[in-house]
């Protein structure tokens, strides 16, 4: 564990955006209340052995009812920006067609609460919770999703245009397409390269169509999307390992940003990707391209990659942190602060990227609640060291303009259920009691200078 440092938030300047992130499926609960339709995650959680301890997102953090308390905690910690997502099936229970007024009212109540407390909302339109009715029609594999998504985004932008300026179209498309349509370990639990490639191409189209829809409806909107990224290093200096690391980098870090910048898919690096061309319609190259005001980077770790003959398609494997015997979190993600600096540097080098905001960074450790306190020293060190690397990137002139912590509260961590705790705020899931961890107070103290 590295030591914390004496960095101050004021070094980043007045315009640097500080915030905290969450998402609908992971926090809201109330999965079938007030007219909400089921999402792929509600459905996936009913399948056996898909989610650790068979946990489900049915109640989650009960944010649906407890949002005033959680927003007041954000205020009490002095965090000026709050990123959260809208649940598509709460707004359009069947994915398209009839609008659920109670869903719209609910988000309006949250926006009012934010406004009352002077907290700026940053909205993610799609954070992995596709309406189950659309999944039954093929979900992201079905090209019609470009129309379904456009309708959803248009409904949201009309409903919330007076309350929201900052929009993110997709959350980490490489993760929901990879884990959800290739490996089958996330909802909707599908597997195989055909499913994956069609889901990828339709997501890239939606990424652009969503942004154009928001721009059309909302003057002065600040529009971005978010990409997951990991610093990729080869396991040795052997040419085979270096080439394997390049292929993993192309899949994990370049697959979604490059087509949006007009650079196309990284086909040269992964010849098998050519198969994606079967999903192209005339004019798609142009349709994929979009000018974002900012891109969100979500960086947690680095991956070490070795050549592996048996791994299908990319002939590469990631060597897990515990096998490498390096310091890691309960997700088995290596704690490697420099990863965030390297990713800011890498994405800054794209000419078309105007501005980078770190829209997620954080860690799950074994938090212990003792005497109503959580002394999460490791998380404090984690933030202090990662933020120091963000500062290093900023000082060197790279395009980073903001940093959001994942996450406000402990929450439903997808296939890992409630086991990994990422929050600045501990939740006792039996009582829903909230307890601010020491890292929450550390953030409050750190942000004192910007408030
Ligand atoms: C990211 C997801 C987010 C959360 C964190 C830990 O990949 O966007 O929802 O699960 O990881």
């Amino acid at each position: 564990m590295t030591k914390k440092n004496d960095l101050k938030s004021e070094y980043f300047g007045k315009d640097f955006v500080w915030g905290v992130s969450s998402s609908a499926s992971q926090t809201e609960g109330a999965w079938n209340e007030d007219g909400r339709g089921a999402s792929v995650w509600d459905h996936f959680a009913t399948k056996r052995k898909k989610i650790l301890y068979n946990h489900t997102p049915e109640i989650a953090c009960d944010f649906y009812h407890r949002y005033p308390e959680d927003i007041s905690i954000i205020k009490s910690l002095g965090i000026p920006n709050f990123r959260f997502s809208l649940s598509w099936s709460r707004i359009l229970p069947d994915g398209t067609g009839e609008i659920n007024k109670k869903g719209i009212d609910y988000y309006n109540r949250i926006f009012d609460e934010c406004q009352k407390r002077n907290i700026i909302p940053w909205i993610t339109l799609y954070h992995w919770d596709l309406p189950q009715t659309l999944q039954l029609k093929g979900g992201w594999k079905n090209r019609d999703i470009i129309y379904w998504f456009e309708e959803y985004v248009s409904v949201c932008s009309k409903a919330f245009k007076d309350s929201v300026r900052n929009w993110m179209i997709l959350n980490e498309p490489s993760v929901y397409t990879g884990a959800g349509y290739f490996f089958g370990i996330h909802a909707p639990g599908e597997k195989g390269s055909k499913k994956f490639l069609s889901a990828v191409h339709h997501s890239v189209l939606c990424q652009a169509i969503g942004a154009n829809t928001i721009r059309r409806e909302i003057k002065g909107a600040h529009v971005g999307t978010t990409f997951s990224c990991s610093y990729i290093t080869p396991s040795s200096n052997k040419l085979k390992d270096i080439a394997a690391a390049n292929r993993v980098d192309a899949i994990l870090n370049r697959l979604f940003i490059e087509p949006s910048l007009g650079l196309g898919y990284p086909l040269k690096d992964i010849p098998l990707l050519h198969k994606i061309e079967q999903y192209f319609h005339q004019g798609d190259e142009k349709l994929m391209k979009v000018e974002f005001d900012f891109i969100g980077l979500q960086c947690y770790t680095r991956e070490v990659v070795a050549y592996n003959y048996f791994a299908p398609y990319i002939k590469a494997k990631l060597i897990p942190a515990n096998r490498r015997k390096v310091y890691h979190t309960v997700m088995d993600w290596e704690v490697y602060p420099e990863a965030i600096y390297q990713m800011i540097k890498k994405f800054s080098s794209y000419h078309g990227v105007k501005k980078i905001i770190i829209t997620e960074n954080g860690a799950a450790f074994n938090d212990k609640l003792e005497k109503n306190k959580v002394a999460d020293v490791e998380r404090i060190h984690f933030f202090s060291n990662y933020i120091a690397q963000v500062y290093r990137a900023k000082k060197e002139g790279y395009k980073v303009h903001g940093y959001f912590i994942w996450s406000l509260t402990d929450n439903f961590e997808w296939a890992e259920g409630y086991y990994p705790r990422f929050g600045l705020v501990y939740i006792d899931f039996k009582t829903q009691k909230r307890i601010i961890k020491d890292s929450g107070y550390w953030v409050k103290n750190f942000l004192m200078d910007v408030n």
Side-chain angles (χ1 to χ4, degrees):
M1 201 196 309
T2 31
K3 282 242 150 33
K4 61 183 174 81
N5 46 58
D6 296 321
L7 194 65
K8 288 189 165 51
S9 57
E10 67 181 347
Y11 299 170
F12 289 78
K14 278 268 165 256
D15 296 331
F16 198 82
V17 179
W18 295 99
V20 72
S21 286
S22 78
S23 87
S25 278
Q26 294 177 275
T27 61
E28 281 183 4
W31 78 281
N32 60 358
E33 267 181 61
D34 292 336
R36 182 183 180 277
S39 80
V40 286
W41 274 94
D42 299 317
H43 186 74
F44 190 67
T46 64
K47 297 189 188 172
R48 278 190 59 232
K49 296 202 175 144
K50 288 293 184 189
I51 296 179
L52 195 62
Y53 305 125
N54 291 322
H55 287 164
T56 76
E58 279 173 43
I59 301 174
C61 312
D62 195 27
F63 181 77
Y64 189 74
H65 300 107
R66 292 169 197 260
Y67 67 86
E69 181 183 354
D70 288 351
I71 294 172
S72 80
I73 294 177
I74 300 179
K75 184 71 194 171
S76 78
L77 297 182
I79 301 171
N81 295 278
F82 179 29
R83 167 178 178 246
F84 57 100
S85 75
L86 307 178
S87 153
W88 187 340
S89 61
R90 200 179 285 293
I91 290 172
L92 292 160
D94 289 324
T96 60
E98 204 165 321
I99 300 173
N100 179 26
K101 185 165 176 306
K102 286 191 173 162
I104 304 275
D105 291 348
Y106 160 65
Y107 289 113
N108 275 327
R109 289 198 297 279
I110 299 186
F111 296 136
D112 288 348
E113 196 69 29
C114 286
Q115 204 190 13
K116 201 166 94 192
R117 303 199 178 268
N118 222 358
I119 287 165
I120 299 171
W122 291 63
I123 293 305
T124 314
L125 282 153
Y126 184 74
H127 201 126
W128 307 356
D129 44 358
L130 189 73
Q132 176 63 13
T133 41
L134 298 182
Q135 180 55 30
L136 295 176
K137 297 178 189 164
W140 286 99
K141 294 171 306 185
N142 186 338
R143 192 178 168 100
D144 284 350
I145 198 157
I146 66 182
Y147 305 109
W148 308 332
F149 191 67
E150 185 171 19
E151 178 180 338
Y152 163 59
V153 177
S154 157
V155 168
C156 295
S157 46
K158 286 197 175 91
F160 307 126
K161 65 158 118 232
D162 296 329
S163 316
V164 183
R165 178 174 170 260
N166 305 295
W167 294 88
M168 283 145 287
I169 309 303
L170 301 178
N171 183 71
E172 300 189 349
S174 66
V175 178
Y176 71 77
T177 55
Y181 287 86
F182 186 80
F183 291 113
I185 51 171
H186 275 191
E190 301 206 358
K191 285 184 190 161
S193 66
K194 272 194 168 165
K195 294 175 178 174
F196 170 66
L197 291 178
S198 55
V200 167
H201 186 55
H202 301 142
S203 297
V204 167
L205 293 170
C206 284
Q207 185 171 262
I209 290 166
N212 292 332
T213 308
I214 294 280
R215 287 242 172 75
R216 209 170 45 234
E217 304 281 353
I218 310 178
K219 265 213 193 90
H222 184 225
V223 187
T225 198
T226 74
F227 301 113
S228 77
C229 56
S230 300
Y231 179 41
I232 309 291
T233 53
S235 61
S236 80
N237 285 335
K238 287 192 199 130
L239 285 178
K240 271 186 164 182
D241 291 328
I242 295 173
N246 278 339
R247 289 193 293 279
V248 171
D249 181 57
I251 284 280
L252 294 187
N253 294 329
R254 299 168 46 204
L255 185 60
F256 286 88
I257 187 161
E258 295 195 355
S260 81
L261 296 173
L263 302 170
Y265 292 111
L267 301 178
K268 268 200 228 108
D269 302 82
I270 307 176
L272 266 160
L273 255 186
H274 272 290
K275 291 197 171 159
I276 204 167
E277 285 168 346
Q278 66 187 290
Y279 304 106
F280 272 54
H281 286 199
Q282 217 189 352
D284 276 8
E285 269 96 355
K286 227 172 129 201
L287 216 56
M288 297 194 291
K289 202 176 160 204
V290 60
E291 247 188 58
F292 287 115
D293 299 311
F294 70 96
I295 58 159
L297 291 187
Q298 320 204 140
C299 177
Y300 290 85
T301 189
R302 78 155 165 170
E303 297 291 354
V304 174
V305 175
Y307 172 77
N308 184 289
Y309 175 78
F310 298 103
Y313 310 110
I314 54 167
K315 296 210 181 310
K317 67 167 186 222
L318 310 183
I319 307 176
N322 61 23
R323 193 116 47 83
R324 286 185 275 128
K325 299 199 170 30
V326 290
Y327 178 44
H328 58 271
T329 69
V330 305
M331 301 291 283
D332 197 16
W333 296 347
E334 182 182 5
V335 176
Y336 195 83
E338 195 189 331
I340 206 164
Y341 164 82
Q342 293 291 351
M343 289 298 94
I344 295 169
K345 191 169 163 184
K346 178 181 178 76
F347 283 81
S348 290
S349 73
Y350 286 113
H351 178 68
V353 167
K354 296 186 197 154
K355 165 157 88 168
I356 292 171
I357 293 183
I358 300 296
T359 37
E360 285 183 20
N361 173 239
F365 291 110
N366 264 320
D367 295 333
K368 298 262 176 315
L369 178 66
E370 277 162 350
K371 298 194 183 129
N372 224 22
K373 259 180 74 75
V374 179
D376 54 340
V377 189
E378 286 183 277
R379 188 172 287 105
I380 295 174
H381 286 154
F382 180 97
F383 284 132
S384 138
N385 291 314
Y386 273 70
I387 293 173
Q389 293 288 332
V390 176
Y391 182 59
R392 174 179 168 206
K394 185 170 164 54
K395 240 181 14 193
E396 289 178 19
Y398 296 112
K399 304 169 189 170
V400 62
H401 291 267
Y403 175 91
F404 285 66
I405 281 169
W406 184 272
S407 181
L408 174 64
T409 57
D410 295 337
N411 58 44
F412 175 72
E413 178 49 37
W414 311 112
E416 327 299 324
Y418 295 94
Y419 172 62
R421 292 180 174 270
F422 273 92
L424 295 177
V425 178
Y426 185 94
I427 294 195
D428 173 344
F429 286 103
K430 288 203 187 83
T431 60
Q432 290 291 349
K433 188 172 169 203
R434 273 75 167 140
I435 298 131
I436 300 176
K437 300 178 193 176
D438 283 1
S439 58
Y441 293 114
W442 179 84
V443 167
K444 176 178 181 169
N445 196 40
F446 177 72
L447 291 181
M448 209 90 96
D449 320 314
V450 291
N451 282 299

